[in-house]
DNA sequence: TATTGTTATACTCTATAACTATA
DNA sequence: TATAGTTATAGAGTATAACAATA
């Protein structure tokens, strides 16, 4: 019953998900962290890069390379805040929003495939529980 | 509903688990990979290090440092196979088994604490689903 | 002087390819 | 020559600290 502990099972599932995400993201020019950052920007722009770093759990110095790349792809913009020109507000472009929507849809589908061993009820129970614990 | 995708939720939970494991393992002189290797040895010794590497999903060259450390701690032994002296069979010592049991017990308890938001039924459903998907 | 964003440096982890010893 | 284990080298990823611009 407790032959494999929770951490092992979760790690295995997460690795599968990341493996499934990789080709989808690559298609859009993204890697995992680029995707994480874009998800962090979805819905609301970030007033400063430091805010965004905290929101995504990423170090502010590591975030910079990701933003460079995302800007290069035309997915985000960094515009100086007129009120405090040290700050740069980070915003998803419409192209970025579109790419994000596409990736999300494909990733959600891929995730559901990975849960194929579960029937509808079990699937809901699993996702509900997970959200309850950590969401 | 699909605000946070599965990968994000799993990653967050896994990070919490790893954070909870860290002090438990450190107490026993282990890091995460040392623990993974010992779990891989539990129940049956590994006939060769290459076998063990595959069993634990770890590269054979990276495994070596872990085994050096585990041997140093007295948790495992590497003994040449008389039939083919190139092979070294890796075995958990009794001290290793004891340390592993202790860690496992503490980690299982820590994991259950992390699931405190779930009632007994939900918890079973969650673990069952996870095992079904990936176990 | 303090803070935002950036760059630079060192350190760890990983991947690949040599090396040794046995076969 | 081929394989198990080991070591060495180079590369990627990360953390820390210094730096420039603005407040």
């Amino acid at each position: 019953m407790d032959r494999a502990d929770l951490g092992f099972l979760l790690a295995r599932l997460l690795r599968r998900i990341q493996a499934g995400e990789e080709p989808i993201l690559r298609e859009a020019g993204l890697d995992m962290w680029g995707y994480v950052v874009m998800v962090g920007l979805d819905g609301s722009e970030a007033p400063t890069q430091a805010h965004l770093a905290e929101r995504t759990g990423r170090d502010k110095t590591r975030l910079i390379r990701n933003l460079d790349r995302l800007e290069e792809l035309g997915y985000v913009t960094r515009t100086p805040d007129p009120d405090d020109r040290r700050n740069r507000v980070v915003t998803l472009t419409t192209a970025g929003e579109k790419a994000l929507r596409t990736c999300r849809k494909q990733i959600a589908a891929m995730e559901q495939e990975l849960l194929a061993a579960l029937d509808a009820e079990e699937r809901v129970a699993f996702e509900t529980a997970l959200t309850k614990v950590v969401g």
Side-chain angles (χ1 to χ4, degrees), chain A:
Chain A
M1 183 56 89
D2 54 2
R3 226 187 60 243
D5 55 59
L6 208 55
F8 280 52
L9 295 174
L10 290 172
R12 212 179 305 168
L13 180 52
L14 188 59
R15 271 198 302 276
R16 286 191 199 171
I17 288 178
Q18 287 174 340
E21 283 177 348
E22 204 271 335
I24 295 170
L25 297 175
R26 183 157 33 85
E27 177 86 12
L30 297 171
D31 62 5
M32 195 192 63
W33 279 113
Y35 178 62
V36 169
V37 171
M38 286 181 71
V39 170
L41 284 170
D42 192 32
S44 65
E45 65 186 16
T48 73
Q49 294 183 188
H51 274 77
L52 181 57
E54 192 181 8
R55 200 188 284 175
T56 55
R58 194 141 183 69
D59 185 279
K60 68 166 185 165
T61 65
R62 283 177 280 158
L63 178 63
I64 289 172
R65 287 298 184 86
N66 298 127
L67 290 177
D68 289 345
R69 172 72 181 149
L70 292 175
E71 221 174 13
E72 205 176 291
L73 288 165
Y75 290 164
V76 308
T77 55
R78 286 187 274 199
T79 54
D81 176 0
D83 293 347
D84 183 342
R85 301 237 310 287
R86 291 174 303 184
N87 299 340
R88 304 180 75 176
V89 32
V90 186
T91 315
L92 224 47
T93 65
T94 51
E97 281 174 6
K98 191 180 160 201
L100 181 55
R101 259 199 310 277
T102 304
C103 287
R104 273 193 142 151
K105 202 179 303 176
Q106 293 180 268
I107 286 172
M110 176 274 296
E111 287 173 343
Q112 291 306 312
E113 262 180 62
L114 285 180
L115 300 186
L118 306 180
D119 61 40
E121 193 185 354
E122 289 171 321
R123 204 172 301 187
V124 171
F126 179 64
E127 295 182 350
T128 304
L130 189 55
T131 306
K132 216 164 174 177
V133 169
V134 87

